[in-house]
């Protein structure tokens, strides 16, 4: 069983004075990762290598199998993958390919770079999901990385008629501002550019005003019945406070990946695969997963 968030050694902290983020986005009990924690993200190189080896082995096994034996059965629900902050669909391309080999019908979010207003992004994603649901005559499952998971959480509350389940990876839903100072600096640059008139970027309202509060409050509402929810987190995360990723309404799973590596680590993809096969119903226990196995 994974340790209670309250046992973390990090000390709660308030947003930096003069920072662009609203204080309500960093509730008491959560904190930014320490400056040097970002060095943990260097393991993404190892995770990429692990993905390459595992992917090659999986393809070889499919090639060696007979056509009838290798044909994977299609998942019942379509799956849309949503990238994190400052990332686009390409960041989840490797995961998408693996899921397809395992029989899932995957779709891109059509987000090229996730740097815009979260309310606008959620509205566009909702429209995208609606079109997929209508086309396939089925509800859709969402896999969201980091900020993509926050978008998924809010949409699941708003549109359970379209969404049968969500899987979040390193998404700090309980404290969106509990992230590394490097991300705060990037957000501040986007806000300044938006203030200067550059369109399509996060504005002050998106990170500290009504827009930000609306998104945050929506992501804290109870999950509707009939929508599965799996939240993946890692104590090795060097970008966000892992405690903020454990939603009390989610089936929480701990992995040993970096924040960036969650998008490619085959052990995380195995967890996502299992989550996508769960029935559309809520769960609330916490598991620890290492090397793709439940503890």
């Amino acid at each position: 069983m994974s340790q209670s968030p309250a046992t973390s050694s990090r000390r709660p902290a308030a947003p930096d004075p003069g920072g662009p983020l609203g204080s309500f986005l960093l509730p008491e009990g959560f904190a930014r990762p320490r400056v040097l924690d970002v060095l943990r993200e260097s393991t993404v190189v190892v995770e990429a290598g692990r993905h390459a080896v595992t992917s090659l082995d999986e393809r070889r096994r499919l090639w060696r199998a007979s056509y009838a034996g290798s044909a994977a059965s299609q998942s019942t629900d379509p799956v849309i993958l949503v990238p994190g902050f400052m990332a686009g669909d390409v960041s989840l391309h490797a995961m998408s390919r693996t899921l397809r080999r395992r029989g899932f019908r995957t779709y891109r979010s059509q987000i090229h770079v996730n740097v815009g207003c979260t309310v606008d992004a959620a509205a566009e994603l909702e429209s995208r999901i609606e079109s997929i649901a209508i086309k396939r005559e089925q509800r859709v499952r969402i896999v969201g990385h980091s900020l993509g998971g926050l978008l998924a959480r809010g949409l699941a509350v708003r549109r359970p008629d379209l969404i049968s389940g969500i899987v979040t990876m390193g998404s700090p839903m309980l404290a969106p501002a509990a992230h590394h100072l490097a991300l705060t600096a990037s957000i501040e640059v986007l806000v300044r550019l938006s203030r200067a008139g550059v369109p399509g970027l996060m504005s002050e309202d998106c990170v500290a005003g009504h827009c930000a509060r609306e998104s945050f409050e929506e992501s804290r509402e109870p999950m509707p019945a009939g929508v599965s929810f799996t939240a993946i987190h890692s104590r090795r995360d060097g970008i966000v406070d892992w405690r903020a990723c454990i939603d009390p309404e989610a089936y929480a799973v701990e992995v040993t990946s970096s924040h960036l590596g969650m998008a490619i680590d085959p052990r995380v993809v195995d967890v996502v695969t299992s989550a996508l096969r769960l029935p559309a119903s809520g769960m609330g226990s916490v598991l620890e997963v290492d090397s793709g196995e439940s503890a």
Side-chain angles (χ1 to χ4, degrees):
M1 298 290 288
S2 62
Q3 202 173 346
S4 168
T7 62
S8 172
S9 61
R10 291 176 180 165
R11 295 179 180 177
D16 301 325
L21 299 165
S23 60
F24 58 88
L25 297 178
L26 188 55
E28 184 178 353
F30 300 98
R32 301 177 184 276
R34 295 166 297 185
V35 173
L36 293 181
D37 283 349
V38 74
L39 296 178
R40 297 173 184 167
E41 296 301 305
S42 62
T43 61
V44 70
V45 176
V46 176
E47 290 147 0
R50 188 180 293 127
H51 164 75
V53 172
T54 303
S55 181
L56 180 60
D57 181 63
E58 195 171 74
R59 288 199 299 268
R60 281 175 175 168
R61 283 189 281 107
L62 288 174
W63 291 335
R64 289 171 183 169
S66 65
Y67 178 80
S70 64
S73 58
Q74 283 289 349
S75 166
T76 55
D77 296 332
V79 179
I80 186 167
L81 289 84
V82 186
F85 176 59
M86 296 190 75
D89 286 328
V90 67
S91 68
L92 294 172
H93 179 67
M95 179 176 289
S96 177
R97 290 187 56 149
T98 301
L99 291 176
R100 279 182 172 267
R101 285 198 300 269
R102 296 178 181 183
F104 295 93
R105 181 180 284 112
T106 63
Y107 291 85
R108 295 185 296 272
S109 67
Q110 297 185 342
I111 295 175
H112 301 298
V113 186
N114 202 349
V115 293
C117 170
T118 53
V119 169
D120 289 347
E124 292 173 6
L125 186 58
E126 180 180 349
S127 178
R128 170 72 169 151
I129 291 170
E130 188 169 30
S131 67
I132 295 171
I134 291 173
K135 179 180 180 180
R136 295 298 174 189
E137 299 183 337
Q138 295 172 313
R139 290 194 296 167
V140 177
R141 297 202 181 221
I142 309 176
V143 176
H145 185 211
S146 198
L147 177 57
L150 272 69
L151 295 175
R153 177 67 167 85
L155 284 173
V157 168
R158 189 189 313 170
R159 298 300 305 270
D161 58 317
L162 296 178
I163 298 167
S164 60
I166 65 172
V167 182
T168 62
M169 303 182 294
S171 302
M173 293 158 288
L174 304 186
H179 56 237
H180 197 274
L181 288 172
L183 261 67
T184 304
S186 299
I187 291 172
E188 191 159 12
V189 169
L190 293 175
V191 169
R192 288 180 178 179
L193 290 173
S194 177
R195 193 184 303 139
V198 179
L201 302 179
M202 292 181 176
S203 67
E204 291 171 298
D205 190 49
C206 296
V207 298
H210 174 74
C211 177
R213 190 175 290 277
E214 178 183 337
S215 296
F216 180 55
E217 290 179 352
E218 185 174 54
S219 71
R220 299 307 312 127
E221 293 182 18
M223 286 289 287
V227 180
S228 67
F229 181 11
T230 300
I232 300 172
H233 67 282
S234 172
R235 296 178 194 233
R236 292 188 54 81
D237 199 314
I239 301 298
V240 304
D241 184 347
W242 62 270
R243 300 170 301 166
C245 303
I246 306 178
D247 192 297
E249 297 199 13
Y251 180 75
V253 183
E254 181 174 356
V255 297
T256 55
S257 168
S258 66
H259 184 83
L260 298 176
M262 288 185 191
I264 54 176
D265 193 323
R267 299 172 302 180
V268 178
V269 181
D270 287 344
V271 174
V272 171
T273 300
S274 297
L276 292 174
R277 289 174 178 159
L278 287 174
S281 59
M283 297 184 181
S285 50
V286 180
L287 298 179
E288 180 175 355
V289 173
D290 191 6
S291 300
E293 297 181 357
S294 298

